[in-house]
Each structure stands twice: as structure tokens, then as C-alpha cells.
Amino acid sequence: MEEQKKKVILSGIQPTGIFTLGNYLGAVRNWAKMQEDFHSAYMIADLHALTVRQEPADFRKRILSCYALLLACGVDPEKSIAFIQSHVPAHSQLSWVLSCNTQFGELSRMTQFKDKAAQHADNINAGLFTYPSLMAADILLYQADLVPVGVDQKQHLELTRDIANRFNGVYGNTFTIPEAYTAQGAKIMSLADPTKKMSKSDPNPNGCILILDEPGAIVKKFKRAVTDSDMEVCYREGKDGINNLMTIYSAVTGLSMDQITADFAGKGYGDFKAAVGEAVAEHLRPVRERYNDLMNNKDYLVECYRKGAEQAERIARRTLDKVYKKVGLLAK
Ligand code: TRP
């Protein structure tokens, strides 16, 4: 029987802190599922995080704990390449060449750059501006076919495709043109303001569930979740709070929206919120336990990220060598 060639998938997450329930249900949990069907590489994008000023000692710890979170969420270093971006120098190296093949005008149109520049008016550094060229390098080094990204990264992926197509046109076929893979997790909204995405920087700490939160804290936050003034647990336009809770409940239990509506017919929001809180707390319990085990076994973590870096390096180096040759750099 002819075996179909497995596609290559790559994604990354910045080590900005403990992952939220949104990061988990929207992205990282699905990466773990996808490693069964694809050649997968997942990385901690530490170089990207340097576009914002970091406190060095704290940053170093956070990179390690985010790597542990990646594994705790189910990314299996036996099935995927799980690595840390800065451990593979080819990312920075290709990023330079790609920067020289990316236009100022293109980078200026990136909405994330405009937003971040407005947020950090005191530190609009060049890295913040060229960030998409580094992301393009991350993706193109592995000749990725598919890139699972949220909507906020879609524009960067489009730019990656433009850069790759242009490069291929000028220098001959070099890069696989990647596609966004958005048929993935649910978009999780803030529990305090369900019109906004769940975020660690939510001004209201009850809006955001972190995946290492204690069960009691999780249940409490769900009890306080903002809903609406009618009574029915059903998915309908205008019921942002209930829609969000149903999305979360469905994601952790596997129940359909209709089943949830049927199960909670005649019951109040209080019962529903308690059920969601408990289901989430139970679902995250093994993740928290695995994380604690991993953090108590640093030698194993080091072994994993070193192996990941070696595997990544081998693939990345091949692409970088090809690019250096194509653009006419002299081999040493
Ligand atoms: N920029 C992405 C984010 O902030 C993280 C990231 C870096 C990434 N490199 C990537 C995502 C490559 C997908 C592919 O969410």
C-alpha cells in the first residue's frame, strides 16, 4: 500500500507566562493531537519575546517553565520536535536574509506592529518591526506545509507566504509555501468580559483561567463569570457569556451544544457555571500534575530540549545552507 507523505506542521508560542485556558484549548492541546498525523515541530519562541523588555533572571525561568508546560499539555518529545527557538541559531540567521527580502512597506502594514507600537510607545524597537521576518524564518526553515495559528497571527502568515513566493521567484524553488491551519481549537473569551479574548493581561483577574490554577480558584472564577439576564443555557447570538461557557464546556467534555442545552434545560445559570468550573478543574488536574513532575525533574527537561534542538538544527541547517548558497554567499 502506498503510504501518503505526512505533512509538516510547525507552530510556536511565546514564553510570556503560564498558558491560559485559551492558549490551551485554542492551540497547545490541538498541537498534541496533531502530532499523531503530521511531522510536527513545536517551539518556545523566546527570541520573539525579546521584542518586549524582559527581566533576565525571570525570563530564563519562564522559558524553562513554558517548555515544561508544552510537554505537560501533551506535546510528546518522542513524537514531535519540541525545542526552544534560541537554541537553533539558524532562526536568527535566516531571519536576517529574509529581512533583506521583506519590504519596509509590508512590515509597516502589520496590524500587530501598529497595536504593539501604540501599547509600548517607549520601546518601539527594530525587532518589534522585523518580528514577522523572524516568524517567517521559523516556518520556512522546516519547509512547513501547515501552520496552526490564531486569527491574530494570520497576517504574519500571509506575509510569510509572500516572502517565500518572492524568494522562490528570484532564486528558484527553495521554500514550501505554508498554509494557515485554522480548523483547530475554540476561541476562548474572557470570563469577565466575554467580548474580549481571554488574556493573562486581563485587568480583572477573574477573567482569565491559567492552566496551573488550583481547582478551588477555577471553580470560583467560573462562578463569577459574566452572563446575561435570561435563563436559558443555549448558544445564541447576543449571549456572549453563555456562548463562551458552552464552548469551554463542550471543549473539555466533548458534548455538543445541543446536548449541553438539553442537559441544563430547566436548571439555572448557577448550576451550569458550577458544572463548567468543575469540569475544567478536573480536566486541568493531570496537566498540573504532569507539570509539577516535570519541574521536579529538570535533568529530564534539559535532556528533552537538547534533543529537540539537535533534531531541529539538522532540518533547519539544511534549509539555511541552501538559502546561503542561493543568495550567493561564499561557502566557508
Ligand atoms: N508570533 C507567534 C505568537 O505570538 C508565535 C510564533 C513565533 C509562531 N514563531 C511562530 C507561531 C511560527 C507559528 C509559527 O503567537
Side-chain angles (χ1 to χ4, degrees):
M1 204 172 72
E2 200 178 326
E3 205 182 303
Q4 240 196 336
K5 207 165 161 262
K6 274 193 191 176
K7 293 200 170 185
V8 175
I9 195 157
L10 174 130
S11 202
I13 186 162
Q14 291 194 45
T16 46
I18 296 167
F19 304 165
T20 67
L21 184 64
N23 298 138
Y24 175 72
L25 293 178
V28 184
R29 179 174 82 153
N30 305 292
W31 298 359
K33 289 187 191 152
M34 286 182 265
Q35 68 193 347
E36 308 296 337
D37 301 321
F38 299 101
H39 286 301
S40 44
Y42 300 123
M43 62 167 202
I44 299 297
D46 54 349
L47 295 173
H48 275 106
L50 282 178
T51 54
V52 175
R53 188 72 59 77
Q54 304 286 344
E55 200 284 300
D58 174 54
F59 188 41
R60 190 172 294 118
K61 282 193 203 134
R62 200 157 3 98
I63 295 167
L64 183 71
S65 68
C66 285
Y67 185 81
L69 282 174
L70 197 63
L71 303 195
C73 291
V75 168
D76 178 348
E78 298 296 324
K79 293 182 182 161
S80 295
I81 302 179
F83 69 103
I84 295 169
Q85 186 184 29
S86 66
H87 291 178
V88 184
H91 290 250
S92 311
Q93 293 167 305
L94 181 61
S95 157
W96 174 254
V97 178
L98 296 182
S99 291
C100 298
N101 285 276
T102 310
Q103 297 304 305
F104 182 86
E106 291 179 303
L107 292 170
S108 308
R109 283 194 286 278
M110 294 294 114
T111 56
Q112 193 176 74
F113 170 71
K114 290 190 252 184
D115 291 349
K116 287 196 179 172
Q119 269 168 29
H120 305 277
D122 54 337
N123 185 18
I124 308 177
N125 59 75
L128 200 60
F129 189 63
T130 58
Y131 175 118
S133 312
L134 176 60
M135 183 160 155
D138 300 337
I139 296 165
L140 300 178
L141 277 173
Y142 300 89
Q143 309 288 359
D145 299 292
L146 297 172
V147 183
V149 282
V151 274
D152 57 325
Q153 296 297 320
K154 267 194 107 168
Q155 199 185 24
H156 292 158
L157 191 68
E158 272 309 309
L159 180 58
T160 300
R161 290 164 56 87
D162 291 344
I163 296 170
N165 272 317
R166 192 178 320 132
F167 193 98
N168 286 351
V170 174
Y171 297 103
N173 226 353
T174 311
F175 298 124
T176 300
I177 308 300
E179 265 172 56
Y181 191 81
T182 45
Q184 48 154 354
K187 184 168 182 194
I188 306 300
M189 313 304 279
S190 163
L191 301 186
D193 177 355
T195 61
K196 300 215 171 76
K197 192 176 137 182
M198 183 178 281
S199 156
K200 308 177 236 276
S201 51
D202 197 318
N204 182 339
N206 290 319
C208 177
I209 303 284
L210 299 177
I211 63 171
L212 300 180
D213 280 348
E214 297 291 334
I218 294 176
V219 170
K220 217 187 254 170
K221 287 183 192 177
F222 275 101
K223 279 196 180 140
R224 296 195 179 140
V226 169
T227 49
D228 53 56
S229 54
D230 68 44
M231 299 270 285
E232 211 187 338
V233 177
C234 71
Y235 199 96
R236 200 188 308 135
E237 204 181 321
K239 290 172 70 82
D240 296 327
I242 287 294
N243 294 351
N244 188 39
L245 295 182
M246 288 180 74
T247 302
I248 294 170
Y249 195 60
S250 167
V252 297
T253 60
L255 294 170
S256 71
M257 296 302 179
D258 287 345
Q259 278 169 310
I260 298 171
T261 299
D263 288 353
F264 288 90
K267 294 185 188 151
Y269 284 174
D271 284 351
F272 180 53
K273 288 184 192 179
V276 182
E278 271 151 36
V280 170
E282 257 335 286
H283 188 88
L284 291 177
R285 187 186 301 277
V287 175
R288 204 176 63 242
E289 287 170 0
R290 271 200 299 274
Y291 172 80
N292 289 333
D293 287 347
L294 287 162
M295 290 304 279
N296 284 325
N297 192 352
K298 297 256 163 69
D299 291 348
Y300 173 72
L301 280 177
V302 173
E303 196 186 299
C304 287
Y305 70 59
R306 285 199 179 141
K307 186 180 98 179
E310 256 171 52
Q311 294 171 315
E313 170 84 26
R314 223 169 307 143
I315 302 170
R317 191 75 232 172
R318 211 181 306 144
T319 304
L320 184 71
D321 285 349
K322 198 157 139 190
V323 168
Y324 272 16
K325 199 163 158 194
K326 294 245 183 190
V327 299
L329 294 170
L330 179 65
K332 68 172 179 200

